[in-house]
Amino acid sequence: MTSTAAPRRWLFINQPAPPGRQAHPAHGAAIAAHHVRRRWPLTGRDTDVEVTVRQLLADGLHGVLLTGDVGVGKSRVVEAVLNRCVASSCHVVPITSTPADRALPFGAVHHLLPETSRSFADSTEIPQVVARKLLEVAEGRPIVLGVDDASWLDELSAAVVQHLVINAGARVLFATRTEAVGTLPVEVLRRWGRLARIDLAPLTWYQTKQLVKAALGAPVDGLTLYGLWRVTDGNPLFLREVLCGAVDNGALTVQESIVTWRNGVRGDAYLSDTAATSLETLSPEELDALRYVAYGDPTPLKVIERLVPVPVLEWLEEHRLIQLDQSARSPQVRVTHPLHAYALRARTGALRAQRIRAELAAAIMATGSDDRIRAVRWQLDAQLDVPDDEVLAASDEALLRQDVAVAEQLARQVRTPVGARHLGRALVARGEYAEAEQWLADAYRDLTDPAQRTNVAALRAVNLFWGFREPQRALEVIAEAKVALPAGGSSDLLAAEALVVVFEGRTDEAIEMVARLERHPPDDPLLATAIASLRPQLLLFTGRPAQAIVELTTNQARLPGAWPTMRAMTQACHVQALVMTGAVRHAAEAVQRYYRDAVEHGSPVGVGILALAGGICAYYQGRTEQAAQWLREARALTDDHPRFRFRETTLAISAGVAAQLGLVDEARELLARLDQANVDPSAADYGAFGEVWALVISGDRSGASAVLRRRAAEASAVGNLLMATEFLHVDMRLAPSAATATRLQQIAAGTDGELFALLADHGNALSRRDVREMNRVSAAFEQLGYRGFALEAAATGAMFGGGRETNALARRTQRLLGEHQGTWPEWLPEPKSPPVLTRREQQVSELAANGMDTAAIARALTVSTRTVENHLQRAYGKLGIHGRAELAAALAEDSFLIHR
């Protein structure tokens, strides 16, 4: 028997993209309008369709009542259900009713009427004639009626449907708007039939993601997707209208093959005609009531009750136009669908809008509400005078409540040096680094209070380091402030300095600073939340990821909410710590959870950091295609921040991943962009790998090895064991040496992460060409989920020599290649094919695996027991196992290799 290896994918050899890679729009290309306007696929409704078909054809029921909001996809589900019924050999009769049909006798079923229907003196005869005709055409097949928009059925059409169901045994699928369930036509239909009701819910976030990708022909970044989902509330029709408007107006751009809405999704910019039309049936009183809710959205219940009669509110709620949210400290009322709120505000004149805002402000002040943020915002919206200190206090509170956008909006209302300080802080939190520097520089110049100037200096230093990648200038600002403002508080400056040295990887310096900060934390809300991530980051860098995880999981409440970017950095630290403790599967789950959290916080850079973490995690799992997708999004979201702290890391890792996928031109382009950044990465940066990959591409592996050893020494010198290990492990795979293996073992001995030890064992096995140890290491990598490393270790070990262990490694290599299309680093030899069992060895092994003893096998095959044992021993060697207990699993794996 034979085994066929998966196609080899060489690193750094130029070749077409691997099969299955979807072609996406080029960088900077526009999304074609006709592409978005074509018929969209039905997405996220498989379960709904399956359940509907099952209930529709179930015994004891006359049919199904399918309900849902306007635009949720009822008609498409009806179509899909009827197609399934046709495939099940049913005779399907579609019936579509419209408002125009309702005014005509038999309007919805006119296509079923006989041509001689006008000659019937009594209309009650017509249902019988239609039934006879359908039964004749159906020829014994089950009859299924699909009635779309059942609420518009006229009385006579409803009578025809009723007769067909009761007298002809037809099954009926009624579809109607949720709010129309209580209308007369639907209620009449429900009274005489036993109907199962199925409610179509809006699309989930994931379903919306799949639909948007199908509509645009490319994936979208998380922020754009979340904005679309939030604005349209998962309604496919509203989503279509908003996307078509965005494409027509050029709001969507393509960055790194990722579609992005650069300035954020705005429902009020591309209003839905459907949403606006649905409001036209409301009375003036109902529209006025809905306007108050739309402008206050969400509005405290006790406030809205002062402005709107309770019966009107109840009517709006019963008709699903508003909803009560009781999850907050006090009940809140909001417009059910965001696009209704946008449509209402768009159709409200400036004078009326001004009056509504003033009345909302007066109402909330009259209630004595303790909601300072909302009270201040509404007073400002109404152009009322609010003291500056109240506005800035509300800005600080918004920052602490993680609403950075509101904190910025409020701070912009105060045109003083103190206001500039608050605005600069909010802009740092939002990632608007250039504007933040302008306001902070002005505040530092104009403020007179030493403590406030010290705080501004600390914020400037953090901004210069984090947003502009200028650690030296940041430290100079801190040093200058220490000299110029000795009377100012020192905790803020210490926090800024500690942040710089921690993320520069200077762990030995940072340990003492972080310890002092824990005793004397800063008062500034931004700096206070930022320092929560410093100690876990230090623990990770110094090789104690398990301890970092303990601190991160026990202090979830301390996650930096006031600074979304730093919050994302802390979450990325947790992901990396999980990776280094051997829990890469848990790390992958955490990435998904944290990514959604970052998206909801609305920070492009924060989402970019989590996308980078996702790329690293996927790379460790050997899922290079998935890693590339994560990294494309990370680059797309940080494209406007070319000096951002992790830009180099993203480019360097992206280049390595692109090269492993055979996309050498892309890898070279990414490395060129990294070179243009003209930044020398610190010991804590994966960006240093850019130089390594560039040398490997050029064929200078010895030069790459020298760089790796130098970088490892730099990292070790400052106590950064994480990066030292990363550099040394790649060096071992490029150029194995006993000295490097020994250094890896020494580092691993002082760490608490399982992966540190396993990487060191890998290096040791490489340096000694120990096939048995390589087999153990490869199996351990695979068991933990590091399948790329498992594949590489197996392939390398299979070349070390002959024997049972080598055969086991060759077999694992082929299986891993076949299971997940593993990438193939260029420093590895061609994968070795495992030895093949002869027909007799296969036969004997199968009998032994089924429990037959040697004597029974010998009798069954009419051979000697010695012959049976010889065949078994040769099979054990070829399969890379040591006895009967392992035969069944080995043979199953062997069958997989042959037949895949």
Side-chain angles (χ1 to χ4, degrees):
M1 58 188 166
T2 60
S3 175
T4 305
R8 180 168 185 172
R9 192 181 299 168
W10 287 93
L11 177 63
F12 306 132
I13 301 299
N14 204 356
Q15 64 181 40
R21 286 180 64 90
Q22 184 177 357
H24 298 314
H27 183 82
I31 302 295
H34 72 274
H35 189 73
V36 180
R37 284 188 164 81
R38 78 193 195 290
R39 180 178 169 85
W40 289 8
L42 182 63
T43 302
R45 298 301 187 194
D46 290 348
T47 300
D48 295 309
V49 171
E50 181 67 34
V51 171
T52 303
V53 171
R54 189 166 59 247
Q55 296 278 48
L56 185 59
L57 303 179
D59 292 336
L61 292 173
H62 290 121
V64 172
L65 175 63
L66 185 71
T67 65
D69 294 334
V70 173
V72 80
K74 299 183 297 298
S75 297
R76 293 295 303 278
V77 170
V78 168
E79 179 185 335
V81 169
L82 295 184
N83 286 338
R84 288 280 299 276
C85 290
V86 169
S88 299
S89 299
C90 296
H91 180 66
V92 171
V93 181
I95 298 172
T96 301
S97 54
T98 67
D101 293 329
R102 190 172 184 180
L104 301 173
F106 300 106
V109 296
H110 67 278
H111 59 297
L112 302 179
L113 302 184
E115 295 180 3
T116 59
S117 59
R118 292 185 179 181
S119 64
F120 290 99
D122 187 352
S123 62
T124 59
E125 299 178 40
I126 292 180
Q128 300 172 18
V129 175
V130 172
R132 285 196 299 269
K133 177 183 176 183
L134 276 184
L135 286 170
E136 181 181 337
V137 173
E139 298 179 335
R141 291 173 293 164
I143 299 173
V144 175
L145 310 177
V147 185
D148 203 4
D149 280 334
S151 62
W152 298 117
L153 278 177
D154 63 279
E155 184 178 349
L156 293 176
S157 293
V160 170
V161 173
Q162 179 181 355
H163 185 86
L164 291 173
V165 172
I166 294 176
N167 298 101
R171 301 300 178 90
V172 62
L173 171 59
F174 290 124
T176 189
R177 304 182 313 279
T178 301
E179 65 269 22
V181 169
T183 59
L184 185 60
V186 178
E187 279 300 301
V188 170
L189 295 170
R190 294 179 72 190
R191 286 194 199 108
W192 55 259
R194 294 186 300 276
L195 304 177
R197 177 169 173 173
I198 296 175
D199 296 308
L200 281 187
L203 297 179
T204 64
W205 184 87
Y206 178 76
Q207 292 166 343
T208 302
K209 175 181 178 181
Q210 298 303 110
L211 183 56
V212 171
K213 182 177 179 181
L216 298 178
V220 300
D221 72 82
L223 284 175
T224 298
L225 175 63
Y226 181 71
L228 288 169
W229 182 62
R230 178 177 49 79
V231 164
T232 64
D233 199 27
N235 185 296
L237 178 58
F238 292 165
L239 179 64
R240 184 183 185 89
E241 291 181 328
V242 171
L243 275 182
C244 287
V247 169
D248 288 345
N249 289 277
L252 299 179
T253 61
V254 179
Q255 304 288 340
E256 308 287 352
S257 300
I258 302 290
V259 179
T260 183
W261 197 317
R262 266 295 172 209
N263 296 319
V265 178
R266 292 180 54 214
D268 55 346
Y270 307 101
L271 291 176
S272 161
D273 292 335
T274 304
T277 301
S278 64
L279 301 174
E280 292 176 356
T281 59
L282 298 181
S283 69
E285 184 182 33
E286 292 157 358
L287 276 173
D288 282 344
L290 202 54
R291 280 192 178 94
Y292 282 115
V293 181
Y295 273 93
D297 201 18
T299 312
L301 179 61
K302 60 184 179 181
V303 170
I304 204 68
E305 286 177 338
R306 287 176 171 267
L307 301 169
V308 176
V310 172
V312 177
L313 287 176
E314 292 173 348
W315 187 92
L316 291 172
E317 182 186 26
E318 289 166 2
H319 286 74
R320 299 167 61 87
L321 290 167
I322 64 172
Q323 61 185 15
L324 183 64
D325 179 7
Q326 301 191 66
S327 62
R329 289 180 300 174
S330 60
Q332 311 275 325
V333 179
R334 65 174 67 247
V335 178
T336 300
H337 202 287
L339 286 182
H340 284 151
Y342 290 131
L344 276 166
R345 291 194 290 265
R347 301 167 91 188
T348 302
L351 291 176
R352 180 181 293 188
Q354 180 70 12
R355 175 178 59 79
I356 290 172
R357 292 188 180 105
E359 290 175 356
L360 283 168
I364 196 170
M365 294 168 67
T367 61
S369 172
D370 61 352
D371 190 343
R372 175 162 51 190
I373 299 173
R374 185 178 276 111
V376 169
R377 289 183 68 193
W378 285 0
Q379 290 176 71
L380 292 172
D381 287 343
Q383 298 183 8
L384 301 176
D385 290 332
V386 184
D388 286 352
D389 58 347
E390 287 188 32
V391 177
L392 295 179
S395 176
D396 280 349
E397 188 173 332
L399 193 66
L400 290 173
R401 288 190 185 182
Q402 305 178 17
D403 197 338
V404 183
V406 170
E408 177 197 341
Q409 292 166 8
L410 291 171
R412 286 189 185 278
Q413 305 302 313
V414 180
R415 298 292 184 172
T416 67
V418 176
R421 169 189 163 212
H422 281 72
L423 177 56
R425 177 201 291 139
L427 289 168
V428 171
R430 288 204 72 188
E432 300 294 338
Y433 308 117
E435 189 181 358
E437 167 61 13
Q438 294 173 8
W439 286 103
L440 291 173
D442 290 346
Y444 187 79
R445 182 191 64 237
D446 298 335
L447 286 168
T448 58
D449 179 79
Q452 291 181 346
R453 295 190 73 204
T454 299
N455 171 249
V456 171
L459 292 170
R460 279 193 72 197
V462 168
N463 191 54
L464 288 168
F465 171 68
W466 203 257
F468 292 91
R469 193 64 177 90
E470 296 185 8
Q472 190 56 44
R473 188 178 169 202
L475 294 174
E476 289 170 359
V477 167
I478 293 170
E480 177 188 331
K482 286 180 179 179
V483 174
L485 303 165
S490 61
S491 292
D492 285 356
L493 292 175
L494 178 62
E497 187 174 8
L499 187 143
V500 173
V501 297
V502 165
F503 287 104
E504 276 291 278
R506 292 153 53 178
T507 55
D508 290 344
E509 288 181 60
I511 289 173
E512 187 271 335
M513 291 184 185
V514 172
R516 284 165 53 198
L517 274 175
E518 290 178 341
R519 295 191 298 270
H520 305 288
D523 294 326
D524 182 272
L526 193 69
L527 297 173
T529 56
I531 65 170
S533 65
L534 297 185
R535 179 169 166 78
Q537 197 75 52
L538 270 179
L539 291 169
L540 174 62
F541 284 160
T542 55
R544 291 173 286 172
Q547 191 175 340
I549 290 171
V550 170
E551 294 210 4
L552 287 164
T553 53
T554 56
N555 295 304
Q556 281 290 319
R558 294 179 60 197
L559 271 177
W563 190 356
T565 301
M566 187 58 67
R567 180 183 180 89
M569 190 62 237
T570 307
Q571 293 166 333
C573 173
H574 190 194
V575 171
Q576 184 74 1
L578 288 167
V579 167
M580 298 311 295
T581 55
V584 71
R585 295 187 183 94
H586 293 311
E589 294 169 1
V591 162
Q592 295 291 344
R593 185 172 66 253
Y594 287 147
Y595 174 79
R596 283 292 304 275
D597 179 79
V599 162
E600 290 171 10
H601 276 80
S603 165
V605 172
V607 177
I609 289 173
L610 264 302
L612 171 60
I616 294 173
C617 187
Y619 175 78
Y620 273 107
Q621 290 182 291
R623 297 175 176 172
T624 319
E625 284 274 7
Q626 188 181 81
Q629 180 65 26
W630 277 116
L631 292 166
R632 279 194 289 271
E633 181 166 354
R635 299 197 305 273
L637 288 170
T638 57
D639 195 54
D640 282 347
H641 305 283
R643 302 298 304 279
F644 174 60
R645 167 78 174 75
F646 289 99
R647 185 73 175 160
E648 295 82 24
T649 293
T650 304
L651 288 170
I653 296 177
S654 297
V657 168
Q660 289 202 26
L661 287 170
L663 306 175
V664 181
D665 289 342
E666 180 179 323
R668 290 195 174 106
E669 189 268 335
L670 290 166
L671 289 172
R673 286 156 63 181
L674 180 61
D675 189 54
Q676 290 167 6
N678 197 28
V679 174
D680 183 32
S682 73
D685 273 334
Y686 283 92
F689 278 106
E691 184 180 4
V692 174
W693 301 139
L695 289 166
V696 174
I697 286 176
S698 69
D700 187 1
R701 287 172 54 177
S702 62
S705 183
V707 170
L708 287 165
R709 288 194 295 272
R710 173 170 60 83
R711 287 295 189 178
E714 292 172 357
S716 295
V718 294
N720 194 325
L721 303 185
L722 170 68
M723 291 310 303
T725 298
E726 296 277 22
F727 291 131
L728 291 173
H729 185 243
V730 174
D731 183 33
M732 279 301 306
R733 292 149 66 199
L734 279 172
S737 73
T740 302
T742 299
R743 181 62 187 131
L744 271 173
Q745 292 282 3
Q746 291 170 345
I747 292 174
T751 65
D752 65 8
E754 184 171 354
L755 187 60
F756 282 100
L758 195 52
L759 294 178
D761 290 346
H762 186 199
N764 188 47
L766 281 168
S767 69
R768 295 193 293 118
R769 298 179 64 83
D770 186 333
V771 65
R772 183 179 292 273
E773 178 65 3
M774 192 67 86
N775 192 7
R776 184 194 70 78
V777 167
S778 176
F781 275 136
E782 183 180 3
Q783 183 179 12
L784 291 173
Y786 301 84
R787 301 175 73 83
F789 287 158
L791 170 62
E792 187 173 328
T796 307
M799 307 305 297
F800 284 172
R804 189 165 298 180
E805 300 289 347
T806 300
N807 292 341
L809 286 167
R811 292 170 56 77
R812 183 178 296 116
T813 301
Q814 296 295 335
R815 176 171 53 77
L816 289 172
L817 278 170
E819 284 180 355
H820 66 100
Q821 297 294 300
T823 55
W824 199 254
E826 65 88 33
W827 53 76
L828 293 181
E830 285 280 2
K832 179 180 178 181
S833 297
V836 178
L837 297 181
T838 65
R839 186 180 64 81
R840 180 64 87 179
E841 289 166 353
Q842 176 84 16
Q843 190 177 27
V844 170
S845 298
E846 288 175 349
L847 293 172
N850 287 326
M852 291 181 66
D853 60 26
T854 301
I857 295 172
R859 289 193 299 272
L861 300 179
T862 63
V863 297
S864 68
T865 56
R866 179 191 261 319
T867 299
V868 171
E869 283 298 330
N870 287 340
H871 283 313
L872 282 175
Q873 290 302 319
R874 284 194 294 271
Y876 294 160
K878 290 180 178 180
L879 294 173
I881 62 177
H882 296 82
R884 285 176 180 252
E886 303 170 74
L887 259 178
L891 288 173
E893 181 181 284
D894 197 56
S895 177
F896 167 82
L897 292 176
I898 295 170
H899 300 294
R900 61 182 169 83

